[in-house]
Amino acid sequence: MPDEPPASRVRRPRMTPERELELLTTTIDVLREVGYEALTMDAVATRARCSKATLYRQWPGKPQLVAAALYATRPVDASAIDTGTLRGDLLAFVTTLAAQAEQDTALIAGLGHATLTEPALALALRESLIEPEHEHVLSFVRRAVERGELAGTPAAMAFLPQLLFAALFTRRLFEDAYADADYLVGFIDGAVLPALRNS
């Protein structure tokens, strides 16, 4: 009879994609309720009905778990957008985000504050969420250049992700309103497209 492998070498079944999404969605639910500072791996594990060890097998810590949760539950997948025009791509991106602006503005503001005191969170958000999504958004402009919509790569392209992010999450501060679809369409037509076409 062959020797049985030591317990440390026994392979555990991999988590299914459905279960992983359930854990990440639960993380967002807890994050919305208590904020980043008060969120703990224990609280997520309790809500998700799993062990804390299960979470740590998938994510090294709270910053990585939160970043993964934000990426997995993002309202729009920019990589899937290709309408055939630069304006169409930009509108498809921002109008989908507008539907969640009211509930996401406070969440993003809280995370922004947390990154000031927790570099690990800032790094996790950049690596897992911001940089991949920024690259997809910049691809809207690259395709426009390839189609001949733009004469060349515009200087404003380097600031496009920041422009969109600011429009989405700062309207509440300036106008006491959330960034709805009408506001964002006006922003794209009045500010973003002119900047890209004239730079």
Side-chain angles (χ1 to χ4, degrees):
M1 180 175 177
D3 293 336
E4 293 186 1
S8 62
R9 295 174 55 193
V10 173
R11 294 176 63 86
R12 294 182 175 89
R14 290 180 60 84
M15 183 180 295
T16 66
E18 294 78 14
R19 178 57 172 157
E20 181 174 337
L21 181 59
E22 182 182 351
L23 295 181
L24 294 173
T25 300
T26 298
T27 300
I28 293 296
D29 291 341
V30 177
L31 182 63
R32 290 189 192 282
E33 292 173 14
V34 305
Y36 180 80
E37 287 82 359
L39 183 142
T40 64
M41 301 292 268
D42 282 316
V44 174
T46 298
R47 180 76 65 88
R49 296 184 176 86
C50 70
S51 70
K52 190 165 63 171
T54 297
L55 297 179
Y56 279 112
R57 280 197 296 270
Q58 299 293 121
W59 302 282
K62 183 170 78 166
Q64 295 78 20
L65 173 62
V66 168
L70 289 167
Y71 185 82
T73 62
R74 66 201 189 283
V76 59
D77 179 0
S79 68
I81 296 174
D82 188 355
T83 66
T85 69
L86 176 58
R87 182 177 187 270
D89 289 349
L90 291 170
L91 292 184
F93 181 70
V94 299
T95 54
T96 303
L97 293 174
Q100 288 195 200
E102 184 170 350
Q103 64 174 336
D104 284 348
T105 297
L107 174 66
I108 298 302
L111 287 170
H113 180 267
T115 62
L116 298 176
T117 58
E118 187 160 347
L121 174 63
L123 178 62
L125 291 175
R126 281 197 301 272
E127 291 182 344
S128 299
L129 177 67
I130 295 172
E131 289 175 0
E133 287 300 281
H134 279 198
E135 186 59 29
H136 296 318
V137 170
L138 295 179
S139 73
F140 301 166
V141 180
R142 295 190 187 100
R143 289 199 301 263
V145 173
E146 292 170 1
R147 287 191 299 261
E149 283 186 76
L150 299 175
T153 301
M157 174 180 171
F159 306 100
L160 177 59
Q162 293 93 323
L163 286 170
L164 297 178
F165 184 86
L168 280 163
F169 299 113
T170 62
R171 191 187 187 199
R172 179 73 173 169
L173 173 63
F174 287 101
E175 301 180 27
D176 194 27
Y178 293 102
D180 58 20
D182 289 341
Y183 173 80
L184 291 172
V185 169
F187 180 74
I188 294 297
D189 287 338
V192 175
L193 287 173
L196 293 172
R197 289 168 177 160
N198 298 323
S199 64

